[in-house]
Amino acid sequence: MKRLFIATLLMIGLLSSYAVYSHHSGAGFDRAKTVTIEGTVKQFKWANPHAWLDMEVANNKGGVDIWSLEMTSPAILVGAGWKATTLKAGDSVKAVVNPFKNGDPGGIFVSVTLADGKTLSQRGQGQN
């Protein structure tokens, strides 16, 4: 009985730590590099635990890539001047991102410049 209890606790601990590690791992992003992309908002997802921005960005083959950008939580974004309605499908924007290390289109957003020239980050207007 004692072994079963210990085994159960170990299994719960292992599964919990794996979920936390996989969710918060930044190993796939190149935090030392920034890339600036310009395109059109495909979708802006205002949801916990992270907001997401999907952009259609022209590639060098004459087509379009969908860049999926992970953002921080809406609670932090609100403090930086964001609203759930800040971005809408069809908006033209410029984004600065820390890209994926593997070269896939996407990454973590650093800042977004709106069509009117206003720049927002997770820290506030004009702060990168």
Side-chain angles (χ1 to χ4, degrees), residues 1-125:
M1 184 70 152
K2 187 176 180 180
R3 286 185 188 171
L4 178 61
F5 178 72
I6 292 172
T8 302
L9 285 179
L10 284 172
M11 191 60 116
I12 290 170
L14 286 171
L15 291 174
S16 297
S17 64
Y18 176 76
V20 168
Y21 172 77
S22 64
H23 177 75
H24 288 105
S25 174
F29 305 105
D30 188 347
R31 299 270 187 169
K33 182 178 181 182
T34 57
V35 175
T36 301
I37 56 173
E38 293 186 50
T40 304
V41 173
K42 180 176 180 177
Q43 184 177 26
F44 180 50
K45 302 173 205 167
W46 187 262
N48 282 312
H50 301 279
W52 286 87
L53 171 59
D54 291 334
M55 291 176 58
E56 297 175 337
V57 178
N59 62 32
N60 58 5
K61 299 174 187 168
V64 173
D65 291 329
I66 304 300
W67 281 65
S68 191
L69 309 179
E70 180 176 341
M71 302 177 82
T72 190
S73 73
I76 292 173
L77 292 173
V78 165
W82 289 82
K83 298 178 185 174
T85 58
T86 298
L87 298 174
K88 296 173 283 316
D91 288 352
S92 293
V93 296
K94 183 189 311 183
V96 178
V97 304
N98 296 125
F100 288 123
K101 286 181 179 178
N102 68 4
D104 287 347
I108 293 182
F109 105 108
V110 175
S111 66
V112 172
T113 302
L114 308 176
D116 66 4
K118 182 178 178 181
T119 299
L120 293 170
S121 70
Q122 67 181 11
R123 293 180 233 153
Q125 285 188 35

